[in-house]
PDB file of all heavy atoms in Angstrom:
ATOM      1  N   PHE A 174     -75.083  24.486  71.718  1.00 96.00           N
ATOM      2  CA  PHE A 174     -73.956  23.554  71.589  1.00 96.00           C
ATOM      3  C   PHE A 174     -73.446  23.156  72.972  1.00 96.00           C
ATOM      4  O   PHE A 174     -73.142  21.988  73.221  1.00 96.00           O
ATOM      5  CB  PHE A 174     -72.834  24.185  70.767  1.00 96.00           C
ATOM      6  CG  PHE A 174     -72.965  24.000  69.282  1.00 96.00           C
ATOM      7  CD1 PHE A 174     -74.136  24.367  68.621  1.00 96.00           C
ATOM      8  CD2 PHE A 174     -71.926  23.465  68.543  1.00 96.00           C
ATOM      9  CE1 PHE A 174     -74.266  24.200  67.253  1.00 96.00           C
ATOM     10  CE2 PHE A 174     -72.042  23.285  67.171  1.00 96.00           C
ATOM     11  CZ  PHE A 174     -73.221  23.655  66.525  1.00 96.00           C
ATOM     12  N   LEU A 175     -73.346  24.126  73.856  1.00 95.00           N
ATOM     13  CA  LEU A 175     -72.866  23.846  75.208  1.00 95.00           C
ATOM     14  C   LEU A 175     -73.904  23.032  75.986  1.00 95.00           C
ATOM     15  O   LEU A 175     -73.557  22.130  76.753  1.00 95.00           O
ATOM     16  CB  LEU A 175     -72.557  25.157  75.932  1.00 95.00           C
ATOM     17  CG  LEU A 175     -71.457  26.019  75.305  1.00 95.00           C
ATOM     18  CD1 LEU A 175     -71.294  27.320  76.075  1.00 95.00           C
ATOM     19  CD2 LEU A 175     -70.122  25.268  75.246  1.00 95.00           C
ATOM     20  N   GLU A 176     -75.170  23.333  75.780  1.00 94.00           N
ATOM     21  CA  GLU A 176     -76.246  22.606  76.474  1.00 94.00           C
ATOM     22  C   GLU A 176     -76.246  21.129  76.107  1.00 94.00           C
ATOM     23  O   GLU A 176     -76.446  20.259  76.969  1.00 94.00           O
ATOM     24  CB  GLU A 176     -77.599  23.229  76.124  1.00 94.00           C
ATOM     25  CG  GLU A 176     -78.778  22.515  76.778  1.00 94.00           C
ATOM     26  CD  GLU A 176     -80.123  23.090  76.336  1.00 94.00           C
ATOM     27  OE1 GLU A 176     -80.141  24.184  75.719  1.00 94.00           O
ATOM     28  OE2 GLU A 176     -81.148  22.432  76.610  1.00 94.00           O
ATOM     29  N   TYR A 177     -76.024  20.820  74.832  1.00 93.00           N
ATOM     30  CA  TYR A 177     -76.038  19.434  74.381  1.00 93.00           C
ATOM     31  C   TYR A 177     -74.655  18.780  74.443  1.00 93.00           C
ATOM     32  O   TYR A 177     -74.466  17.668  73.973  1.00 93.00           O
ATOM     33  CB  TYR A 177     -76.609  19.341  72.960  1.00 93.00           C
ATOM     34  CG  TYR A 177     -78.116  19.473  72.946  1.00 93.00           C
ATOM     35  CD1 TYR A 177     -78.718  20.716  72.765  1.00 93.00           C
ATOM     36  CD2 TYR A 177     -78.938  18.370  73.158  1.00 93.00           C
ATOM     37  CE1 TYR A 177     -80.098  20.853  72.779  1.00 93.00           C
ATOM     38  CE2 TYR A 177     -80.318  18.493  73.168  1.00 93.00           C
ATOM     39  CZ  TYR A 177     -80.902  19.736  72.982  1.00 93.00           C
ATOM     40  OH  TYR A 177     -82.268  19.865  73.001  1.00 93.00           O
ATOM     41  N   GLY A 178     -73.707  19.495  75.011  1.00 94.00           N
ATOM     42  CA  GLY A 178     -72.391  18.912  75.250  1.00 94.00           C
ATOM     43  C   GLY A 178     -71.616  18.564  73.997  1.00 94.00           C
ATOM     44  O   GLY A 178     -70.958  17.510  73.944  1.00 94.00           O
ATOM     45  N   VAL A 179     -71.691  19.411  72.975  1.00 97.00           N
ATOM     46  CA  VAL A 179     -70.887  19.175  71.773  1.00 97.00           C
ATOM     47  C   VAL A 179     -69.414  19.126  72.186  1.00 97.00           C
ATOM     48  O   VAL A 179     -68.914  20.028  72.860  1.00 97.00           O
ATOM     49  CB  VAL A 179     -71.132  20.290  70.727  1.00 97.00           C
ATOM     50  CG1 VAL A 179     -70.126  20.193  69.583  1.00 97.00           C
ATOM     51  CG2 VAL A 179     -72.564  20.206  70.204  1.00 97.00           C
ATOM     52  N   ASP A 180     -68.726  18.072  71.782  1.00 98.00           N
ATOM     53  CA  ASP A 180     -67.356  17.848  72.252  1.00 98.00           C
ATOM     54  C   ASP A 180     -66.312  18.598  71.427  1.00 98.00           C
ATOM     55  O   ASP A 180     -65.263  18.974  71.947  1.00 98.00           O
ATOM     56  CB  ASP A 180     -67.051  16.340  72.235  1.00 98.00           C
ATOM     57  CG  ASP A 180     -68.009  15.566  73.133  1.00 98.00           C
ATOM     58  OD1 ASP A 180     -67.954  15.762  74.357  1.00 98.00           O
ATOM     59  OD2 ASP A 180     -68.827  14.789  72.595  1.00 98.00           O
ATOM     60  N   VAL A 181     -66.594  18.781  70.145  1.00 98.00           N
ATOM     61  CA  VAL A 181     -65.693  19.544  69.269  1.00 98.00           C
ATOM     62  C   VAL A 181     -66.541  20.432  68.367  1.00 98.00           C
ATOM     63  O   VAL A 181     -67.431  19.945  67.664  1.00 98.00           O
ATOM     64  CB  VAL A 181     -64.808  18.625  68.399  1.00 98.00           C
ATOM     65  CG1 VAL A 181     -63.844  19.459  67.556  1.00 98.00           C
ATOM     66  CG2 VAL A 181     -64.039  17.626  69.250  1.00 98.00           C
ATOM     67  N   ILE A 182     -66.276  21.729  68.409  1.00 98.00           N
ATOM     68  CA  ILE A 182     -66.983  22.689  67.556  1.00 98.00           C
ATOM     69  C   ILE A 182     -66.218  22.828  66.246  1.00 98.00           C
ATOM     70  O   ILE A 182     -65.012  23.088  66.241  1.00 98.00           O
ATOM     71  CB  ILE A 182     -67.082  24.059  68.243  1.00 98.00           C
ATOM     72  CG1 ILE A 182     -67.929  23.971  69.520  1.00 98.00           C
ATOM     73  CG2 ILE A 182     -67.665  25.101  67.288  1.00 98.00           C
ATOM     74  CD1 ILE A 182     -67.884  25.220  70.365  1.00 98.00           C
ATOM     75  N   GLN A 183     -66.929  22.654  65.136  1.00 98.00           N
ATOM     76  CA  GLN A 183     -66.311  22.828  63.828  1.00 98.00           C
ATOM     77  C   GLN A 183     -66.672  24.194  63.264  1.00 98.00           C
ATOM     78  O   GLN A 183     -67.842  24.567  63.244  1.00 98.00           O
ATOM     79  CB  GLN A 183     -66.778  21.734  62.875  1.00 98.00           C
ATOM     80  CG  GLN A 183     -66.247  21.868  61.449  1.00 98.00           C
ATOM     81  CD  GLN A 183     -66.801  20.779  60.548  1.00 98.00           C
ATOM     82  OE1 GLN A 183     -66.719  19.594  60.863  1.00 98.00           O
ATOM     83  NE2 GLN A 183     -67.396  21.171  59.432  1.00 98.00           N
ATOM     84  N   ILE A 184     -65.654  24.926  62.837  1.00 97.00           N
ATOM     85  CA  ILE A 184     -65.869  26.192  62.124  1.00 97.00           C
ATOM     86  C   ILE A 184     -65.628  25.900  60.650  1.00 97.00           C
ATOM     87  O   ILE A 184     -64.521  25.537  60.250  1.00 97.00           O
ATOM     88  CB  ILE A 184     -64.914  27.301  62.621  1.00 97.00           C
ATOM     89  CG1 ILE A 184     -65.120  27.565  64.112  1.00 97.00           C
ATOM     90  CG2 ILE A 184     -65.119  28.578  61.809  1.00 97.00           C
ATOM     91  CD1 ILE A 184     -66.481  28.088  64.489  1.00 97.00           C
ATOM     92  N   GLY A 185     -66.667  26.026  59.847  1.00 95.00           N
ATOM     93  CA  GLY A 185     -66.589  25.646  58.442  1.00 95.00           C
ATOM     94  C   GLY A 185     -65.828  26.626  57.580  1.00 95.00           C
ATOM     95  O   GLY A 185     -65.484  27.738  57.996  1.00 95.00           O
ATOM     96  N   THR A 186     -65.587  26.199  56.355  1.00 95.00           N
ATOM     97  CA  THR A 186     -64.772  27.000  55.433  1.00 95.00           C
ATOM     98  C   THR A 186     -65.362  28.386  55.193  1.00 95.00           C
ATOM     99  O   THR A 186     -64.632  29.373  55.075  1.00 95.00           O
ATOM    100  CB  THR A 186     -64.607  26.245  54.092  1.00 95.00           C
ATOM    101  OG1 THR A 186     -63.765  26.994  53.224  1.00 95.00           O
ATOM    102  CG2 THR A 186     -65.946  26.006  53.402  1.00 95.00           C
ATOM    103  N   ARG A 187     -66.704  28.482  55.140  1.00 94.00           N
ATOM    104  CA  ARG A 187     -67.336  29.780  54.883  1.00 94.00           C
ATOM    105  C   ARG A 187     -67.272  30.707  56.088  1.00 94.00           C
ATOM    106  O   ARG A 187     -67.541  31.897  55.972  1.00 94.00           O
ATOM    107  CB  ARG A 187     -68.789  29.559  54.451  1.00 94.00           C
ATOM    108  CG  ARG A 187     -68.935  28.864  53.105  1.00 94.00           C
ATOM    109  CD  ARG A 187     -70.376  28.448  52.845  1.00 94.00           C
ATOM    110  NE  ARG A 187     -70.534  27.816  51.537  1.00 94.00           N
ATOM    111  CZ  ARG A 187     -70.274  26.544  51.287  1.00 94.00           C
ATOM    112  NH1 ARG A 187     -69.834  25.764  52.257  1.00 94.00           N
ATOM    113  NH2 ARG A 187     -70.445  26.033  50.082  1.00 94.00           N
ATOM    114  N   SER A 188     -66.948  30.154  57.253  1.00 96.00           N
ATOM    115  CA  SER A 188     -66.894  30.952  58.479  1.00 96.00           C
ATOM    116  C   SER A 188     -65.477  31.211  58.970  1.00 96.00           C
ATOM    117  O   SER A 188     -65.300  31.805  60.026  1.00 96.00           O
ATOM    118  CB  SER A 188     -67.687  30.242  59.589  1.00 96.00           C
ATOM    119  OG  SER A 188     -69.038  30.070  59.237  1.00 96.00           O
ATOM    120  N   MET A 189     -64.472  30.780  58.214  1.00 97.00           N
ATOM    121  CA  MET A 189     -63.093  30.894  58.692  1.00 97.00           C
ATOM    122  C   MET A 189     -62.714  32.317  59.052  1.00 97.00           C
ATOM    123  O   MET A 189     -61.951  32.552  59.995  1.00 97.00           O
ATOM    124  CB  MET A 189     -62.110  30.352  57.649  1.00 97.00           C
ATOM    125  CG  MET A 189     -60.684  30.209  58.168  1.00 97.00           C
ATOM    126  SD  MET A 189     -59.400  30.265  56.891  1.00 97.00           S
ATOM    127  CE  MET A 189     -59.202  32.040  56.669  1.00 97.00           C
ATOM    128  N   GLN A 190     -63.256  33.289  58.333  1.00 96.00           N
ATOM    129  CA  GLN A 190     -62.958  34.686  58.624  1.00 96.00           C
ATOM    130  C   GLN A 190     -64.171  35.435  59.173  1.00 96.00           C
ATOM    131  O   GLN A 190     -64.254  36.654  59.055  1.00 96.00           O
ATOM    132  CB  GLN A 190     -62.387  35.380  57.391  1.00 96.00           C
ATOM    133  CG  GLN A 190     -60.967  34.904  57.067  1.00 96.00           C
ATOM    134  CD  GLN A 190     -60.331  35.659  55.929  1.00 96.00           C
ATOM    135  OE1 GLN A 190     -60.907  35.755  54.847  1.00 96.00           O
ATOM    136  NE2 GLN A 190     -59.142  36.185  56.148  1.00 96.00           N
ATOM    137  N   ASN A 191     -65.070  34.698  59.810  1.00 97.00           N
ATOM    138  CA  ASN A 191     -66.152  35.331  60.565  1.00 97.00           C
ATOM    139  C   ASN A 191     -65.559  35.651  61.932  1.00 97.00           C
ATOM    140  O   ASN A 191     -65.666  34.876  62.878  1.00 97.00           O
ATOM    141  CB  ASN A 191     -67.345  34.380  60.686  1.00 97.00           C
ATOM    142  CG  ASN A 191     -68.523  35.005  61.423  1.00 97.00           C
ATOM    143  OD1 ASN A 191     -68.367  35.982  62.153  1.00 97.00           O
ATOM    144  ND2 ASN A 191     -69.693  34.423  61.256  1.00 97.00           N
TER     145      ASN A 191
END
Side-chain angles (χ1 to χ4, degrees):
F174 273 53
L175 298 177
E176 179 184 347
Y177 283 93
V179 170
D180 300 294
V181 183
I182 296 171
Q183 177 182 308
I184 300 297
T186 183
R187 293 170 178 82
S188 300
M189 190 205 83
Q190 289 185 307
N191 182 340

